[in-house]
Amino acid sequence: DTGVSQDPRHKITKRGQNVTFRCDPISEHNRLYWYRQTLGQGPEFLTYFQNEAQLEKSRLLSDRFSAERPKGSFSTLEIQRTEQGDSAMYLCASSPIYGTNEKLFFGSGTQLSVL
Amino acid sequence: TQLLEQSPQFLSIQEGENLTVYCNSSSVFSSLQWYRQEPGEGPVLLVTVVTGGEVKKLKRLTFQFGDARKDSSLHITAAQPGDTGLYLCAGVVTNAGKSTFGDGTTLTVKP
């Protein structure tokens, strides 16, 4: 199976610690997205890349969040100095470029709990 | 302000019943997608609609895109327990470059 892979599936950390998540997209997909989802809500956009270029970052995203996609392949999302409000499911998705006919293929997510 | 409003938020029905869920917005979308999500997993794409008035069928699921491309509906015929899940709509506003999601409808189908 060559779907989107995310690691780890679960992360428990203490407030103030840094965490990093990894996403491996479907290999031929140019676009990679990060979303965050809390219970009872739909996924909230964080940022996206086209190849290695980060094209957009949500204005709601704190400076504690940073994402990279070196070489246009896998991506990492780092959260520095975690807060309890960062607890959420972090979803990665990839997409081939179909113009505006968007089709997102999601990974299973990383569930973050900040104690 | 939520860009996409989904209703109802929760729906609980008996196996065999029909249902319709809605996705509404004041914005015009270039395309709109429906996803289904199970607990602890990422959303899975069901369908993409692009043309105003478009109707797509996927087995017992019928998806319709509004004529003005601002709203959509999902109709399920003879629901089954396997249809249980969170149904999310997502839209791409022209030139936005990303999908914006609604908060979903949580569907429970009881045997």
Side-chain angles (χ1 to χ4, degrees):
Chain A
D1 186 280
T2 57
V4 177
S5 177
Q6 291 190 246
D7 183 69
R9 286 294 308 273
H10 304 275
K11 179 70 176 179
I12 299 174
T13 191
K14 292 183 179 179
R15 189 175 52 186
Q17 298 294 305
N18 299 342
V19 294
T20 300
F21 309 141
R22 177 181 170 121
C23 173
D24 287 272
I26 294 172
S27 58
E28 61 268 27
H29 286 183
N30 301 93
R31 286 194 175 178
L32 186 148
Y33 300 79
W34 286 98
Y35 284 82
R36 176 173 61 189
Q37 187 178 25
T38 54
L39 198 62
Q41 305 288 318
E44 173 192 23
F45 171 77
L46 296 180
T47 187
Y48 87 96
F49 295 82
Q50 184 165 309
N51 299 315
E52 66 275 10
Q54 187 172 17
L55 295 188
E56 187 174 346
K57 186 176 178 180
S58 170
R59 285 172 291 177
L60 302 175
L61 204 59
S62 159
D63 289 342
R64 298 182 295 104
F65 288 71
S66 62
E68 294 182 342
R69 193 185 182 194
K71 303 178 183 178
S73 55
F74 72 93
S75 176
T76 58
L77 176 69
E78 181 183 18
I79 309 174
Q80 296 181 328
R81 305 180 302 282
T82 53
E83 302 173 356
Q84 288 184 326
D86 297 332
S87 295
M89 172 78 89
Y90 289 83
L91 292 164
C92 175
S94 67
S95 175
I97 298 180
Y98 285 136
T100 55
N101 186 0
E102 190 81 311
K103 295 182 181 181
L104 298 180
F105 295 81
F106 282 89
S108 296
T110 294
Q111 183 66 53
L112 173 66
S113 297
V114 181
L115 305 178
Chain B
T1 303
Q2 188 69 354
L3 190 62
L4 283 164
E5 298 284 346
Q6 291 192 243
S7 62
Q9 186 176 0
F10 298 97
L11 185 58
S12 181
I13 61 172
Q14 292 295 134
E15 182 176 1
E17 293 183 358
N18 302 332
L19 67 113
T20 303
V21 298
Y22 301 92
C23 175
N24 296 297
S25 177
S26 57
S27 299
V28 176
F29 294 99
S30 300
S31 65
L32 193 142
Q33 292 76 39
W34 284 92
Y35 294 82
R36 179 170 166 269
Q37 185 177 24
E38 296 193 18
E41 297 295 329
V44 175
L45 179 67
L46 297 174
V47 77
T48 296
V49 286
V50 179
T51 306
E54 184 176 3
V55 176
K56 282 192 173 179
K57 293 193 174 184
L58 185 65
K59 297 182 179 178
R60 295 176 292 101
L61 278 61
T62 302
F63 305 86
Q64 185 161 8
F65 201 13
D67 291 340
R69 292 186 290 138
K70 292 183 178 181
D71 54 82
S72 181
S73 63
L74 160 59
H75 181 80
I76 301 179
T77 303
Q80 299 176 0
D83 295 327
T84 293
L86 176 66
Y87 289 83
L88 295 159
C89 67
V92 179
V93 176
T94 304
N95 299 323
K98 65 182 185 294
S99 295
T100 300
F101 283 79
D103 284 338
T105 293
T106 299
L107 172 65
T108 303
V109 182
K110 300 176 183 177

